[in-house]
Amino acid sequence: MIRRVYLTGVRFLIEKTELLKELQEEVEKCINCGFCESVCPTLPASGFRSSIGARGRVDIASALLGELDKNGKSSLAISESFYSCLDCFACLQVCPAGVNAGKVSHLGKSIIADSTTLEINERKAIADMIVSVTVKTMNPLGLRKECSKWSGGLEFDSASDTLFYTGNMYQLMPYSKKLSGVERMMGQKATDAMARLISSHPGLSRLTGLMKDDALEREMNRFLQDIYALLSAAKIEMNYLGEDEPYPGTFIFDLGYISEFRRYADRVTEIFHQKGVRNIITVDPHTYDLLKVQYPKYVPEFDFDVCYYTDFLDALEFEKDHALTTLHEPCHFTLREEAYNGPLKYAMKITDVVLPDRSGKKLMCCGGPDELLFGNLSDEISRERFQQLKNTGAGKVLTACPICYSNLRKDSSVQDLSTYLKTHLKI
Ligand code: SF4
Ligand code: SF4
């Protein structure tokens, strides 16, 4: 027991040292040119507050490292700057020095989550709540049964080693939309008090199940059913874990709780092994990116083949659509090192896609990742992005991510790619 505690402590110290070293290496590349500010969506949305822009985040990280180097502790207020980063990586695409302010922000959040080097507690109560409920129930809101309801009446092959893995992202959107509204209505203090109560009594998380956008839930369930229908039409035999499906830990990772994420990802990997999984079909870009890129870094035993559902649709034929259509590409596909363009490829099979000026490596995020903690910022960014998509003159706007859909659905022209593909499928 003493040996285990000692080893955990040693690993924790190594992790912290590596974290600070990685942050140092990233920020010292900055030549302070400001190019990143021209593409960072949070800067204009915040009224050009420099601390809520890409260069400001790098500057704050640099100041933080300076304080830690001098005093071993920091009293800087850093949470708003790092937590408001969308993790879109638009800044990296234009930085001549190769700095990724998204990565800087993630490392900054990890320092906040660790909290041993900060004099003030910068952790967000709602982030603590999500992490503690996820660790306890393997779902951010303790709603595993609710998250499996979309599959009622559908048939899966429990003997298949190919897993249809929702990652719970489509199912959680109706709740996060409402939770964000509750914070705006009740205010920060009351929301924090509720979050702290749930953190210490994770069983109460089921109360959040009462806060749900029913109309959005119906839409999200339909998208999952349409993805299932497409894969079935392509004759893919697949298993689905239903209520046993573990959430992948996306929020835990995104919020910077790295030690917790490492342990959690171990548990998820073990469940996949126990269920005989070899191939994982993901249905959203966040889960795809997490499993494909982050899991192998943190879990050496993670040896699964991870794909996105459009990888399996080559044999299908689709009816042509002559209406002008645009696509909002997901940041977690298009702005990542290994860009993935499955959604664009399939949209182009059906229709002539007209892309907005900010597309490809110049893509602008929908603002969705900020919805829970910075609702107003998120609204402002999504309005701007929606207008850019409408300015293409297209009558239809396609999305390929539940977060993007949830944030951009400002009129009936917005549709998830799954339903668009299913509607045009030649039977
Ligand atoms: S573009 Fe790169 S080098 Fe220039 S200020 Fe931003 S992070 Fe620094
Ligand atoms: S990742 Fe996106 S939101 Fe974060 S600093 Fe870079 S451009 Fe701005």
Side-chain angles (χ1 to χ4, degrees), residues 121-139:
N121 181 11
E122 291 265 74
R123 284 155 69 146
K124 295 267 180 200
I126 203 142
D128 281 345
M129 176 193 93
I130 287 171
V131 174
S132 95
V133 175
T134 306
V135 169
K136 174 97 179 158
T137 68
M138 303 205 88
N139 180 285

Side-chain angles (χ1 to χ4, degrees), residues 29-37 55 58 91 94-99:
K29 289 189 283 184
C30 178
I31 53 171
N32 220 9
C33 65
F35 286 177
C36 53
E37 298 197 323
R55 176 162 56 175
V58 178
C91 46
V94 298
C95 175
V99 181

Side-chain angles (χ1 to χ4, degrees), residues 157-218:
D157 175 3
S158 59
S160 172
D161 60 7
T162 297
L163 185 69
F164 183 99
Y165 185 52
T166 73
N168 297 174
M169 290 297 279
Y170 274 97
Q171 301 95 312
L172 289 169
M173 284 305 107
Y175 299 96
S176 69
K177 201 82 194 160
K178 271 277 154 117
L179 268 175
S180 154
V182 166
E183 175 168 0
R184 288 183 229 195
M185 206 169 65
M186 292 184 0
Q188 181 84 47
K189 275 192 177 162
T191 311
D192 284 357
M194 177 194 80
R196 275 193 285 272
L197 182 68
I198 296 176
S199 289
S200 50
H201 302 88
L204 292 177
S205 65
R206 294 196 56 77
L207 291 176
T208 55
L210 303 173
M211 301 172 204
K212 179 179 61 162
D213 181 330
D214 291 322
L216 185 56
E217 183 186 47
R218 281 192 292 278

Side-chain angles (χ1 to χ4, degrees), residues 46-98:
S46 69
F48 292 92
R49 287 175 57 202
S50 62
S51 61
I52 313 292
R55 176 162 56 175
R57 294 184 174 109
V58 178
D59 287 345
I60 286 175
S62 181
L64 169 69
L65 287 165
E67 281 217 356
L68 293 179
D69 191 37
K70 212 162 89 191
N71 312 321
K73 285 255 176 191
S74 166
S75 55
L76 286 174
I78 56 175
S79 106
E80 200 184 14
S81 183
F82 294 145
Y83 278 124
S84 62
C85 171
L86 297 160
D87 196 26
C88 64
F89 294 7
C91 46
L92 174 64
Q93 318 304 320
V94 298
C95 175

